[in-house]
Amino acid sequence: MRDSRNQFRARSAGVSQRWTAYHWGGLTFLVAVICLLAFLAWQIRHYLQDEQKSPVQTILFSGEFEHVSITELERLIRTSQPGSFFALDVNEVHELIEGHPWVYRASIRKQWPHTLQIYLVEQQPVVAWNADMVLNPFGEAFNVAPEPLELPQLFGPGGSETTALEGYNAMQQLLATSGLAISELSLSERFAWQVQLTNGIRLNLGRQEFMDRLQRFIDVYPLLAKQDKPIQYVDLRYDTGLAVGWQQEEENKTDV
């Protein structure tokens, strides 16, 4: 009986030792696998971030643009994102590109294995604003030099960009029916309108009913144009009629 107990204990001890050995062997194998995976992940990460092994070889620009310098934009991208194709931050590039004054909108995506594709929507200059900025068709100002663009000049208080542009568009459309065009438009702090035409005539339209007053000028302009003296200005700030100043007689006015 005692021998049986001793044999059972011996067998139990052997099983326990084998289980312990198996347990530690498995744990050692698991730790080794984890270490290997971590090492491989580090190697892959290092490889993907290495510009020499996975560079951004090509930056493709598309869209319709005239004023944007592609060379300048590519230089900005490569300077701000010197890493690999995988390390390149698309959001940062998007912010950088749309920060350029001539870029209105940009769409950016990566194309495997080494290309960055950029679609650009360029700002559309419509008029110069306060001699140092330009307005797009939505009345949004962007900071470029207006002089080389030869645009109509708009002036007005800060925050009145949309109002000034809408007024310009409405007046220009009305004047075009008579072959006239605006070279300069000013909107005062009190929102009074003054217009300079491309033929040199200055129109004082005042604050109220400026479109009706402009129509009054268009109606009488053929009669004024027949005069021998060139017109300097026309003051339309009257309920009825207008006042004309002639270039050769600056001190005299003719009421019509």
Side-chain angles (χ1 to χ4, degrees):
M1 187 69 177
R2 183 178 297 176
D3 292 340
S4 298
R5 291 178 178 177
N6 291 337
Q7 291 175 359
F8 176 75
R9 291 173 180 173
R11 286 197 299 272
S12 297
V15 171
S16 177
Q17 290 175 354
R18 287 194 299 273
W19 172 254
T20 300
Y22 176 79
H23 174 75
W24 283 107
L27 183 61
T28 301
F29 176 77
L30 179 61
V31 171
V33 170
I34 292 174
C35 291
L36 178 61
L37 291 176
F39 176 75
L40 290 176
W42 180 85
Q43 286 286 83
I44 293 173
R45 181 174 180 274
H46 178 72
Y47 178 85
L48 295 180
Q49 291 185 339
D50 189 347
E51 182 184 7
Q52 301 301 321
K53 293 184 174 63
S54 55
V56 178
Q57 294 183 4
T58 306
I59 300 179
L60 295 179
F61 292 90
S62 59
E64 296 182 3
F65 39 85
E66 178 183 355
H67 304 282
V68 172
S69 171
I70 299 305
T71 302
E72 178 184 354
L73 289 183
E74 182 168 351
R75 179 183 57 79
L76 287 174
I77 294 171
R78 294 194 180 278
T79 301
S80 66
Q81 299 285 324
S84 70
F85 174 82
F86 299 96
L88 183 141
D89 191 320
V90 172
N91 292 328
E92 289 186 4
V93 174
H94 183 268
E95 184 177 350
L96 177 69
I97 295 300
E98 288 201 347
H100 191 280
W102 273 112
V103 176
Y104 180 66
R105 290 288 184 268
S107 176
I108 302 170
R109 67 183 182 91
K110 295 179 180 180
Q111 180 178 335
W112 173 267
H114 47 60
T115 301
L116 186 66
Q117 291 192 339
I118 300 175
Y119 179 80
L120 298 178
V121 178
E122 189 177 59
Q123 288 278 17
Q124 183 180 348
V126 177
V127 295
W129 177 246
N130 286 336
D132 58 358
M133 301 186 78
V134 175
L135 299 185
N136 65 19
F138 310 106
E140 300 169 343
F142 57 102
N143 190 18
V144 299
E147 290 83 2
L149 303 175
E150 299 182 354
L151 299 171
Q153 300 286 326
L154 268 61
F155 298 89
S160 66
E161 292 89 344
T162 302
T163 301
L165 182 60
E166 289 176 351
Y168 165 81
N169 288 334
M171 294 183 203
Q172 182 59 54
Q173 185 176 1
L174 185 59
L175 287 166
T177 60
S178 299
L180 300 171
I182 298 173
S183 63
E184 184 177 305
L185 180 148
S186 297
L187 185 61
S188 72
E189 294 285 347
R190 299 183 60 192
F191 286 84
W193 299 88
Q194 186 176 94
V195 173
Q196 183 88 23
L197 302 180
T198 54
N199 61 10
I201 300 175
R202 187 176 73 251
L203 306 179
N204 292 323
L205 301 174
R207 297 173 56 190
Q208 300 175 349
E209 301 178 348
F210 59 90
M211 292 299 294
D212 291 337
R213 293 172 177 176
L214 183 61
Q215 182 63 60
R216 190 190 309 161
F217 165 76
I218 293 174
D219 293 339
V220 77
Y221 177 68
L223 176 62
L224 297 176
K226 292 180 180 179
Q227 304 299 315
D228 294 334
K229 297 170 291 187
I231 304 168
Q232 182 181 18
Y233 70 87
V234 179
D235 193 342
L236 297 128
R237 295 172 294 177
Y238 300 90
D239 293 334
T240 59
L242 50 85
V244 181
W246 307 98
Q247 288 188 12
Q248 295 178 354
E249 299 179 7
E250 297 183 2
E251 296 181 357
N252 296 325
K253 292 193 302 183
T254 302
D255 293 330
V256 180

